[in-house]
Amino acid sequence: YDVHGLMMLRHGKVIAEHWWAPYTPQHQHAMYSATKTFTSMAIGFAVQEGLLNIEDKVTSFFPDLLPDTISPQLANLTVKHLLTMSVGHAPTSYAGSGSSQVRSFLAAKFAYEPGTSFAYNISASHMLSHILTRVTHLTIHEYLKPRLLDPLGIKDVIWEMDNDGINMGNGGSHMRTSDMAKMGLFLLNKGQWNGKQLLNAAWIEAAT
């Protein structure tokens, strides 16, 4: 991989920055799995606003997409298990995109009880995006814009979608190097920006 750019902050100030041609400070870069951190913050804001709880059952958000038979493991699967990638699925891939991917995720077989085993699961993060849209009727991008992106001055974000127009919760965001520096500072300051507490510090601590 090429190095696109570098920005170093100390005590909240930029002390060094550089971009390698053809990249410039204005270039947007694919953020890949760093997108998951924005998904986590979106869920945090939704919890803060009382729209959902991390102990909510995943099945409660998708009554129209559930398999005919609901296993005890699926019945016990919570938002927290998605956030912590402790779903418990057997190694699998999830077919489709949009609601069809949600349906295949919900139909997947379990190898472990939810919450007992970690396995990197990018579809768990995308499930969070679908849940957020179900409770807010907004995409993650739309929901985060007034709560996080605008206050931090993160503009012109490009965010890829699945086939149903839901922002990818596991990747697909494109932004500038400076935008990621701002996000890092926001996390370092535990949800505070310019003296204002945007997101509960406890959420940042729990995520960390």
Side-chain angles (χ1 to χ4, degrees):
Y1 293 100
D2 295 331
V3 176
H4 294 196
L6 170 72
M7 184 170 278
M8 188 179 296
L9 280 69
R10 181 168 168 78
H11 302 311
K13 306 290 185 182
V14 177
I15 63 169
E17 56 185 319
H18 185 75
W19 285 263
W20 285 260
Y23 304 105
T24 67
Q26 289 74 41
H27 267 90
Q28 293 156 323
H29 313 267
M31 291 303 166
Y32 300 99
S33 286
T35 304
K36 295 180 178 67
T37 301
F38 288 86
T39 300
S40 169
M41 296 303 107
I43 297 297
F45 279 109
V47 169
Q48 183 169 279
E49 294 170 9
L51 299 175
L52 57 83
N53 188 287
I54 62 170
E55 299 300 338
D56 287 343
K57 299 292 194 280
V58 172
T59 54
S60 69
F61 299 102
F62 305 104
D64 53 321
L65 301 176
L66 294 175
D68 293 335
T69 303
I70 298 176
S71 67
Q73 293 92 341
L74 178 59
N76 290 328
L77 189 66
T78 66
V79 171
K80 183 178 180 180
H81 297 138
L82 300 178
L83 286 164
T84 57
M85 291 191 182
S86 58
V87 174
H89 280 168
T92 185
S93 60
Y94 308 99
S97 176
S99 59
S100 63
Q101 186 182 16
V102 173
R103 190 179 284 109
S104 64
F105 182 95
L106 295 171
K109 288 182 167 45
F110 287 80
Y112 306 97
E113 292 296 320
T116 64
S117 177
F118 170 85
Y120 190 65
N121 187 326
I122 65 172
S123 292
S125 302
H126 190 41
M127 288 289 289
L128 293 167
S129 180
H130 274 265
I131 288 172
L132 185 86
T133 295
R134 291 240 168 173
V135 299
T136 67
H137 305 291
L138 300 167
T139 64
I140 284 186
H141 190 189
E142 291 168 337
Y143 183 70
L144 281 180
K145 199 169 184 308
R147 292 163 177 82
L148 179 68
L149 303 180
D150 286 348
L152 269 59
I154 298 177
K155 302 175 182 178
D156 305 321
V157 173
I158 298 169
W159 205 318
E160 297 170 32
M161 295 179 170
D162 66 17
N163 286 350
D164 288 349
I166 307 297
N167 285 138
M168 301 304 296
N170 51 16
S173 66
H174 301 249
M175 57 190 75
R176 298 179 180 91
T177 309
S178 57
D179 297 331
M180 283 302 291
K182 291 172 181 177
M183 183 60 161
L185 198 57
F186 170 79
L187 296 171
L188 187 66
N189 292 332
K190 297 188 177 178
Q192 191 176 103
W193 189 259
N194 287 339
K196 184 177 180 182
Q197 195 72 41
L198 302 181
L199 183 57
N200 192 325
W203 183 263
I204 310 291
E205 290 166 2
T208 304

